[in-house]
Amino acid sequence: MKNVLTEIDKTLLEVLQKDFPLVSRPFDHFAGVCGISEEEVILRIKKLISEGIIREISAIFNAGRLGYKSTLVALRAPEGLEENIAGIINRHPGVSHNYFRDYKYNLWFTLIIMEETGFKEELEKLLEGAGDAGYLILPAIRTFKIGVDFKLTDGTKPGKAYQEKPETENAETGPEQIVKTESLKAETGPSGRDKKIIMKLQEHMKIVQRPWKEMSSGLGMSETELLGCIKDFKDKGAIKRISAVLRHRKIGYTANGMACFNISDEKIEQAGNTLAQYP
């Protein structure tokens, strides 16, 4: 059965893909954008999650700022062994995406590992016993664009225009009083406390009036301290954004694909920027 989205649902889904504001009641901020109450925003989000339209609301990290490195891997799995090898790959905790594609290199996946580890060594260990599975290691040299915001409205939205960076505030301290913390020191990497926060931020956000307070209580810290840590992570580029991830097929985008181009060096810049303009 096809999901029927109201105009308010569509507006809400659009703004939830933006960066969550670091305010004590972020859903109240979204309520102002959509022209509805905070309670209704919370109810609508819970419904959109239950219908499978919103996959999760969580932090999206920059692995490189946390002491990790990543690469795309194209692997040539022998015919008949694709499922078996895909299962082996999926067991690795650093694999975030793994797709079967109709090409001689038929398994494409992303691999994230610690900085001091080599990609080749990690892959040889991972694929031990997988047979004649040749592969290409394709790390990003430059990023022109990452991520996609699914457009669902025609631009005529109810409520106020979305404010990308609302005033930072906290119920306990008031505007602009979030405690600044010293997290994520470059020379030592994430501390034990940082790692706990990072793990918690990767979980699906609780859809309650004060989600940061709910999250902070599980970490043994105050809401103010948690918001300060998140701000510090963002200032240092460790967190790209905190936002909703949607299931594109549930909102009318019926397919996605991957395209590979062999472009001469002198045209890469132009081609990359041109493709990055595509929404």
Side-chain angles (χ1 to χ4, degrees), residues 48-93:
L48 291 165
I49 291 171
S50 70
E51 292 174 345
I53 294 170
I54 296 176
R55 191 174 75 194
E56 63 180 342
I57 299 175
S58 61
I60 299 171
F61 289 91
N62 180 347
R65 295 299 177 95
L66 297 173
Y68 293 86
K69 59 184 178 181
S70 64
T71 187
L72 176 67
V73 180
L75 184 139
R76 186 178 61 244
E79 187 176 356
L81 295 178
E82 298 94 343
E83 290 287 343
N84 180 54
I85 294 175
I88 293 171
I89 292 168
N90 291 347
R91 288 197 290 269
H92 192 292

Side-chain angles (χ1 to χ4, degrees), residues 8-229:
I8 290 177
D9 287 334
K10 292 176 182 179
T11 300
L12 182 58
L13 287 170
E14 283 192 354
V15 298
L16 288 173
Q17 293 176 81
K18 309 294 184 184
D19 201 2
F20 261 60
L22 295 183
V23 294
S24 185
R25 292 165 57 184
F27 299 119
D28 188 52
H29 170 73
F30 294 131
V33 176
C34 296
I36 57 178
S37 70
E38 179 186 34
E39 182 181 10
E40 186 176 350
V41 165
I42 290 172
L43 289 173
R44 283 178 181 269
I45 292 174
K46 287 180 176 179
K47 181 173 181 288
L48 291 165
I49 291 171
S50 70
E51 292 174 345
I53 294 170
I54 296 176
R55 191 174 75 194
E56 63 180 342
I57 299 175
S58 61
I60 299 171
F61 289 91
N62 180 347
R65 295 299 177 95
L66 297 173
Y68 293 86
K69 59 184 178 181
S70 64
T71 187
L72 176 67
V73 180
L75 184 139
R76 186 178 61 244
E79 187 176 356
L81 295 178
E82 298 94 343
E83 290 287 343
N84 180 54
I85 294 175
I88 293 171
I89 292 168
N90 291 347
R91 288 197 290 269
H92 192 292
V95 171
S96 59
H97 299 76
N98 188 9
Y99 295 98
F100 177 80
R101 300 189 185 276
D102 186 16
Y103 186 59
K104 63 181 179 181
Y105 287 95
N106 47 14
L107 290 178
W108 294 69
F109 59 96
T110 54
L111 177 64
I112 302 172
I113 59 175
M114 295 299 294
E115 281 283 2
E116 62 269 19
T117 310
F119 287 124
K120 184 174 175 58
E121 292 80 1
E122 189 74 11
L123 285 166
E124 291 295 329
K125 184 169 60 176
L126 173 63
L127 298 170
E128 187 177 359
D132 183 24
Y135 56 82
L136 301 174
I137 299 172
L138 304 167
I141 297 171
R142 177 178 169 189
T143 301
F144 289 95
K145 182 183 179 184
I146 188 166
V148 60
D149 288 335
F150 294 108
K151 293 292 293 180
L152 299 168
T153 69
D154 60 4
T156 308
K157 302 179 182 179
K160 299 184 294 184
Y162 183 77
Q163 186 181 352
E164 190 70 39
K165 292 187 177 179
E167 182 179 39
T168 300
E169 65 176 30
N170 178 270
E172 298 169 7
T173 61
E176 301 297 347
Q177 297 298 314
I178 284 181
V179 176
K180 192 72 169 64
T181 62
E182 285 300 324
S183 302
L184 213 65
K185 292 181 172 56
E187 65 274 14
T188 59
S191 66
R193 186 192 69 163
D194 290 341
K195 290 177 181 177
K196 290 179 181 178
I197 296 170
I198 290 165
M199 292 296 291
K200 181 64 71 172
L201 287 169
Q202 291 179 82
E203 296 177 4
H204 197 325
M205 179 185 285
K206 296 287 180 63
I207 311 304
V208 294
Q209 189 179 67
R210 293 176 65 178
W212 309 121
K213 185 175 178 64
E214 179 87 12
M215 194 179 295
S216 66
S217 64
L219 291 164
M221 60 197 311
S222 71
E223 181 183 50
T224 306
E225 289 173 315
L226 175 61
L227 287 171
C229 289

